[in-house]
Amino acid sequence: MAHSIVLGAGMIGVSVAWHLVQRGHDVTLIDRREPGQETSFGNAGIIQREAVRPYAFPRDMQTLLSVLPNRRVDIRYRPGGMLNAASPLLRYWHNSGPKAYSRIVPEYASLIQLCLDTHAPMIKAAGAEQLVAQDGFLELFRSENRQTKRLKEAQENHERFGVQFQHLDRQQLSGMEPYLSADIIGAIHWLDSWVVKDPGSLVAAYAESCQQQGGRLMQSDVTDIRQRSDGWEVTTPDGALQADNLVMALGPWAGKWLKPLGYHFPTFVKRGYHMHYASDEGVELNHWVMDAEVGYLLAPMRAGIRLTTGAELDNLESPPHDDQLASAEKAARKLFPLGERKDAVAWKGARPCLPDMKPVIGPAHRHKGLWLAFGHGHQGFTLGPATGMLLADMMEGKPTAIDMAPFRADRF
């Protein structure tokens, strides 16, 4: 039986390990932290079936000029981080042009369309049904023009990719969420996206399911990886482990680990923050609500109402900055009567990104037995189980549910 080591116990790595164990593989999953405690912990907690179009770099002059003062909630930047990521950001901007983006969308959507069918069996196997609600989320609008444009796009996504939605006018919205600000004129209810009350706990439940089926979980730092004549060796402070296959699922850290092996992926990160809040007495938020025009989301989770920010372009390990979260909180308090903060400090994480907005999923092109699964951007939580299924198929030499050529490692 082949032994595989999976590096990274976020949603991607855990899902890869789960699928391999399901097929009878011998698997060791290694991470410095417990499963689901890095990027997978701090997201908005949505399995986004509606997200068939990746986030494009803004190209219109009005938006670009509005970003320059560095005061927006949806996007902030740090000059040092922008300089260090200048090359991949330029390629990201190029790929956001109409011609390139039109090619990327159906490729990206092919992954998204697998998300519910691949999460469902893992949720069942993990006994995690109590963490997941299948009632969608709300995208809010203040502007009639913005609402009309987004509804047109939603209809196109319905016809092309099967996305389900319902338009809510102000009266219908008030019946579902009576405490939202009066300046919200309507919403799109995305019907086939699922919401998760505790994202980190869902990843942990998947990991526990993997262990129950025979997978091994090792919490340890990794100090070295190297190829041997008969496979791979991973060194930790507790000793060295050998394996036939090595899966790199280290999210924003994957690029750093792959450079010594001769791979130079144009990776960059979009950092994000969250904070939990109490709600005022007698006031409830019933649904996940996305204030897309401003750039934040409110989610009624186990720990409180989670406020998540947009993206911050900065170096991966740079110190946190509180100004973006403060701006988001100020805007959110105008939308909904948030109570006091419940966390001592804000959570900070980083989304692993590539300039064509698609992840790398598949074999490394220079090393036998090295498999890659990283770069999922905003949708690692959504796409983990689909990635796990597809990569397991590729490792076994089986046909895949979709064409994997758009996600190959040697495309850069």
Side-chain angles (χ1 to χ4, degrees):
M1 181 188 299
H3 177 213
S4 296
I5 292 176
V6 180
L7 297 182
M11 179 61 87
I12 303 297
V14 166
S15 297
V16 171
W18 189 91
H19 273 278
L20 289 173
V21 168
Q22 278 275 305
R23 300 168 188 226
H25 290 240
D26 181 21
V27 179
T28 302
L29 177 65
I30 305 176
D31 199 299
R32 64 183 180 179
R33 303 188 67 182
E34 295 181 357
Q37 293 302 302
E38 289 282 5
T39 307
S40 296
F41 175 83
N43 57 71
I46 309 177
I47 301 170
Q48 288 192 250
R49 174 59 179 86
E50 93 296 341
V52 292
R53 297 174 186 264
Y55 288 95
F57 198 103
R59 290 174 64 92
D60 64 285
M61 189 56 65
Q62 181 179 357
T63 301
L64 290 172
L65 289 174
S66 72
V67 171
L68 282 177
N70 214 15
R71 296 174 183 167
R72 290 177 59 129
V73 171
D74 57 345
I75 180 70
R76 293 285 173 104
Y77 62 90
R78 305 292 164 182
M82 292 284 286
L83 183 62
N84 289 336
S87 179
L89 285 174
L90 181 61
R91 294 164 74 175
Y92 179 22
W93 178 86
H94 173 76
N95 284 319
S96 299
K99 186 176 181 180
Y101 189 72
S102 67
R103 291 195 305 267
I104 290 168
V105 167
E107 296 170 346
Y108 187 84
S110 69
L111 275 179
I112 292 290
Q113 288 174 292
L114 299 174
C115 68
L116 300 184
D117 288 340
T118 50
H119 267 280
M122 293 183 66
I123 292 168
K124 183 177 180 181
E129 291 88 351
Q130 76 283 358
L131 292 173
V132 183
Q134 300 182 11
D135 54 358
F137 73 98
L138 306 176
E139 182 175 346
L140 310 178
F141 301 99
R142 296 175 181 81
S143 159
E144 192 67 53
N145 288 340
R146 179 69 177 265
Q147 180 174 243
T148 299
K149 181 180 179 181
R150 190 70 169 125
L151 282 169
K152 181 182 178 182
E153 186 177 88
Q155 184 60 36
E156 292 172 355
N157 291 343
H158 169 70
E159 294 169 359
R160 192 175 178 188
F161 303 116
V163 175
Q164 303 298 313
F165 73 97
Q166 179 185 4
H167 175 229
L168 305 175
D169 61 23
R170 176 66 207 191
Q171 183 176 359
Q172 292 169 314
L173 178 61
S174 295
M176 296 173 67
E177 294 293 347
Y179 299 104
L180 296 181
S181 168
D183 65 348
I184 302 299
I185 63 171
I188 292 176
H189 185 188
W190 298 107
L191 298 170
D192 51 4
S193 295
W194 298 351
V195 294
V196 180
K197 300 172 186 177
D198 187 336
S201 289
L202 183 63
V203 179
Y206 287 173
E208 176 63 23
S209 174
C210 181
Q211 285 185 285
Q212 289 174 355
Q213 296 172 73
R216 290 181 298 278
L217 176 62
M218 182 176 179
Q219 187 175 345
S220 178
D221 286 319
V222 172
T223 57
D224 189 37
I225 59 174
R226 63 182 60 197
Q227 190 176 34
R228 296 162 47 102
S229 60
D230 57 348
W232 290 85
E233 181 175 272
V234 175
T235 304
T236 76
D238 300 315
L241 293 82
Q242 280 75 44
D244 302 282
N245 299 298
L246 178 65
V247 179
M248 180 63 66
L250 284 170
W253 296 275
K256 179 192 76 172
W257 279 100
L258 288 166
K259 281 182 181 179
L261 297 173
Y263 298 94
H264 297 276
F265 290 98
T267 56
F268 66 100
V269 297
K270 295 181 184 178
R271 306 198 323 174
Y273 300 85
H274 84 227
M275 173 62 67
H276 293 105
Y277 299 82
S279 55
D280 286 349
E281 187 175 350
V283 175
E284 285 190 72
L285 184 66
N286 301 311
H287 298 80
W288 273 237
V289 294
M290 179 183 290
D291 191 345
E293 293 181 26
V294 179
Y296 65 90
L297 183 139
L298 293 176
M301 294 192 178
R302 278 180 168 179
I305 297 177
R306 178 177 291 187
L307 166 63
T308 66
T309 67
E312 179 189 55
L313 297 173
D314 198 358
N315 297 319
L316 174 60
E317 304 294 353
S318 292
H321 308 280
D322 61 3
D323 49 350
Q324 187 177 23
L325 179 64
S327 295
E329 179 181 320
K330 183 178 179 181
R333 289 189 182 281
K334 295 177 181 178
L335 175 74
F336 180 84
L338 290 174
E340 72 278 3
R341 289 187 171 192
K342 299 187 74 174
D343 304 325
V345 295
W347 178 90
K348 174 182 72 70
R351 308 171 184 96
C353 300
L354 289 161
D356 64 356
M357 294 162 267
K358 298 175 298 182
V360 170
I361 305 172
H365 47 286
R366 294 196 185 103
H367 293 80
K368 181 182 178 182
L370 178 60
W371 301 86
L372 310 178
F374 66 91
H376 292 71
H378 293 259
Q379 299 300 344
F381 189 76
T382 293
L383 293 175
T387 299
M389 178 189 73
L390 293 165
L391 192 67
D393 284 337
M394 298 175 81
M395 292 174 71
E396 293 188 333
K398 294 180 178 178
T400 52
I402 62 173
D403 179 13
M404 297 305 293
F407 312 104
R408 66 187 190 276
D410 63 353
R411 70 184 189 264
F412 296 105

